[in-house]
Amino acid sequence: MKTRILLLPVLVAMMLLNACKKDDQQGPGGDNGSYNYGPGAIFIKQGTEGITKIDMSTGELSLVMKNWLDAGWDISWDGKKGVKQVDVSYDETKYIIFNTGDGSTLKEVSYEPADNHGGLPCISPDGTKLALRPTLREGLVILDMAGNVLKSIAGYGADHTFEYLDPINWAPDGSILFKKNSSLYRTSVDFSRAFKIKDIPFSDWKGDAVASPDGQKIAMSLNGHVWLMNADGSDLHQVTQSSQQEVAPSFSPDSRYIAMKANSRAGVPGSGTTAPHLCLIPADGQVYKVYPGEDNRVIHPTVKGASPDSRGLGVAIVGDFVWR
């Protein structure tokens, strides 16, 4: 009897230790049937609809911001605030800063653009600035949260001028990534200079490039697939494979995973419509086949209470998304 009593605590301790080890080894969407896909939330805006949020730790879907007509929006890097663009008139654009918890307005930033409407907004990593994508008459514009123009940059160098809707993305140090000719560049943190990171030898690249929150990696969609490289431009290589396309990569808040739009098959089997679907891969530099059933390391998130369709696809995304 004493032997059994002494063994029981040992067995319990071993079971707990094994459970902890298993949990440590699980990534998003572990094999326990949970909806835990990682940290933070994925925010989605479908066209002129509002912004919805998928809590990546629970799979719960909620409404963040009701519908509005204008396209511009972003979410702060800490996920607590957002911005939506409202074009009030030909010569006035408002950037509404809101609380992502309840959608309430925190501040209105007014801007009088030189063009018809201001550029699409991007919130800086520290939440103190807005970068506006180039318009027909303005290049890169940097605003503070009072609406003051900190910088208005037509281009960098005699051989470069920002063009309409050229992609721009913040890096975690407060610099900005952008395309110049056929190369990826990074601005200085005061925006006075720009430095080449790497030549990008793909004709389909429009300039989109996203930096990981830890500042170590950069992801891009090139030749229809997601590619990854170090922040200094070294080791550029493809990390997704499929017969279709993977676009719009976005890093998880802990930089361990990459979300993307992939598998643009029918939104509903037999419906005849197509839509890309949310897909997650580890940001470890390995190559992943992203179609359901081809690689069990690839995650296809579903909303809590829903189930993957007959092909194993989960959340359809026809608009834009960010992972914060």
Side-chain angles (χ1 to χ4, degrees), residues 16-216:
L16 289 173
L17 180 61
N18 288 334
C20 290
K21 287 182 178 179
K22 184 178 180 181
D23 289 342
D24 289 342
Q25 293 169 351
Q26 284 182 348
D31 58 6
N32 58 2
S34 73
Y35 293 90
N36 182 6
Y37 301 116
I42 282 184
F43 297 81
I44 305 169
K45 178 170 167 56
Q46 315 267 32
T48 59
E49 296 181 4
I51 299 172
T52 54
K53 176 178 73 173
I54 302 174
D55 186 320
M56 294 298 277
S57 65
T58 65
E60 294 180 354
L61 179 69
S62 60
L63 179 67
V64 174
M65 179 58 61
K66 64 182 181 180
N67 296 3
W68 84 96
L69 294 178
D70 298 299
W73 70 287
D74 193 19
I75 303 296
S76 63
W77 286 45
D78 63 6
K80 295 180 180 180
K81 296 184 294 185
V83 59
K84 71 173 185 177
Q85 178 178 347
V86 177
D87 294 318
V88 179
S89 64
Y90 181 87
D91 57 359
E92 183 183 8
T93 294
K94 286 188 176 181
Y95 297 103
I96 312 298
I97 310 300
F98 60 86
N99 185 326
T100 57
D102 57 15
S104 61
T105 297
L106 300 174
K107 180 182 294 186
E108 293 188 2
V109 179
S110 293
Y111 175 59
E112 296 182 1
D115 196 3
N116 181 11
H117 311 319
L120 304 179
C122 302
I123 302 176
S124 64
D126 64 3
T128 64
K129 304 178 189 71
L130 294 176
L132 308 183
R133 284 181 67 171
T135 62
L136 289 171
R137 297 182 184 176
E138 293 185 320
L140 170 63
V141 176
I142 309 295
L143 303 179
D144 65 18
M145 287 302 181
N148 299 309
V149 178
L150 302 178
K151 292 285 183 179
S152 182
I153 304 164
Y156 284 96
D159 62 341
H160 174 249
T161 300
F162 282 108
E163 297 182 0
Y164 178 58
L165 292 182
D166 271 351
I168 56 168
N169 281 294
W170 290 96
D173 65 352
S175 61
I176 288 178
L177 304 177
F178 69 97
K179 178 184 179 182
K180 177 180 176 180
N181 301 323
S182 59
S183 302
L184 178 64
Y185 276 71
R186 181 197 301 270
T187 70
S188 58
V189 295
D190 64 358
F191 314 110
S192 63
R193 296 171 295 165
F195 311 92
K196 182 190 287 190
I197 297 176
K198 190 174 185 65
D199 293 324
I200 308 299
F202 291 92
S203 60
D204 70 328
W205 181 58
K206 304 302 181 184
D208 278 307
V210 293
S212 60
D214 65 5
Q216 299 300 307

